[in-house]
Amino acid sequence: METGLGNSLAQAYLSRPNCIVLGTVRDMEAPGIAHPRTSVKASGSELVLAKVESSSPTDAASVVEELKARG
């Protein structure tokens, strides 16, 4: 189980009702990603994970388009 700052903050917000947490990760298949995906979420709360590699010239723009498509 990952215990980093980002993961801890995500879990704290997800434990509250009606919160949407947007998280970015470099590798969507990393072992530590499974825990936030399966953690308990309060009613109406949701975790949205997006792949963003800082060296990629297209990842950030792709995430913006993905979020726009979600509404």
Side-chain angles (χ1 to χ4, degrees):
M1 177 170 103
E2 297 291 316
T3 58
L5 180 60
N7 189 12
S8 297
L9 285 170
Q11 290 193 23
Y13 282 108
L14 290 170
S15 70
R16 299 176 179 181
N18 303 312
C19 286
I20 297 175
V21 175
L22 172 60
T24 59
V25 295
R26 288 182 294 263
D27 179 4
M28 294 293 275
E29 303 303 319
I33 300 306
H35 182 67
R37 284 182 174 161
T38 59
S39 64
V40 176
K41 297 166 188 69
S43 175
S45 288
E46 177 184 4
L47 174 64
V48 178
L49 287 177
K51 180 192 170 293
V52 176
E53 172 57 55
S54 62
S55 64
S56 169
T58 59
D59 278 2
S62 295
V63 170
V64 169
E65 292 306 314
E66 180 182 333
L67 292 174
K68 283 181 183 179
R70 290 178 57 103

